[in-house]
Amino acid sequence: MAGKTISAHIDTETANRVTHLAKMEQRRTSQIAGMALKFFVCLPPEARAALWQIEALASPADFEEITREITRTLLHAQYKVANRQIISHLNVDNLEQIETEDDILEAAVALTR
């Protein structure tokens, strides 16, 4: 992917976490930083302002709670995307023919042939 290199000032702990994440996920540190920046700049101004305020005022416990809530939201969105993709590939043409458990078993056996 063609892109542009930019620099950012971060504290040593965050830099170490980025390096660790990159190793764990077998990615380049620039990929980790790029994804974080891509996410941040897509946020509306109100969300960015809230994040700046949270960083300045919140306790570590507050920040952990916020991180868990963001994680739940992202996982929910990931589920919805995956679910939508699965549904788009389902073949439901013959579902009206399945009425009993025996019909389900027959259909399952037919799929294995």
Side-chain angles (χ1 to χ4, degrees):
M1 172 176 80
K4 182 177 180 177
T5 300
I6 61 173
S7 63
H9 177 76
I10 56 173
D11 59 85
T12 303
E13 180 184 345
T14 302
N16 290 339
R17 291 176 75 181
V18 170
T19 301
H20 178 73
L21 263 175
K23 287 178 184 174
M24 295 297 294
E25 295 183 5
Q26 298 179 345
R27 299 181 189 279
R28 296 187 305 273
T29 54
S30 62
Q31 290 176 303
I32 303 295
M35 178 61 79
L37 286 169
K38 188 175 184 178
F39 178 75
F40 182 80
V41 300
C42 288
L43 294 173
E46 300 83 9
R48 290 193 310 274
L51 188 56
W52 285 113
Q53 188 174 28
I54 288 165
E55 182 183 37
L57 302 175
S59 70
D62 293 332
F63 205 79
E64 284 180 32
E65 181 182 348
I66 293 161
T67 301
R68 284 191 302 273
E69 289 198 30
I70 291 169
T71 300
R72 277 192 294 275
T73 300
L74 289 171
L75 291 173
H76 179 71
Q78 179 189 35
Y79 173 81
K80 285 173 38 178
V81 168
N83 193 41
R84 190 171 50 243
Q85 288 178 337
I86 290 168
I87 288 173
S88 71
H89 289 90
L90 287 178
N91 182 0
V92 294
D93 295 337
N94 299 322
L95 285 182
E96 66 278 348
Q97 298 172 2
I98 298 176
E99 295 179 358
T100 66
E101 288 186 26
D102 288 335
D103 294 339
I104 293 171
L105 290 173
E106 281 183 43
V109 169
L111 287 172
T112 61
R113 289 187 194 145

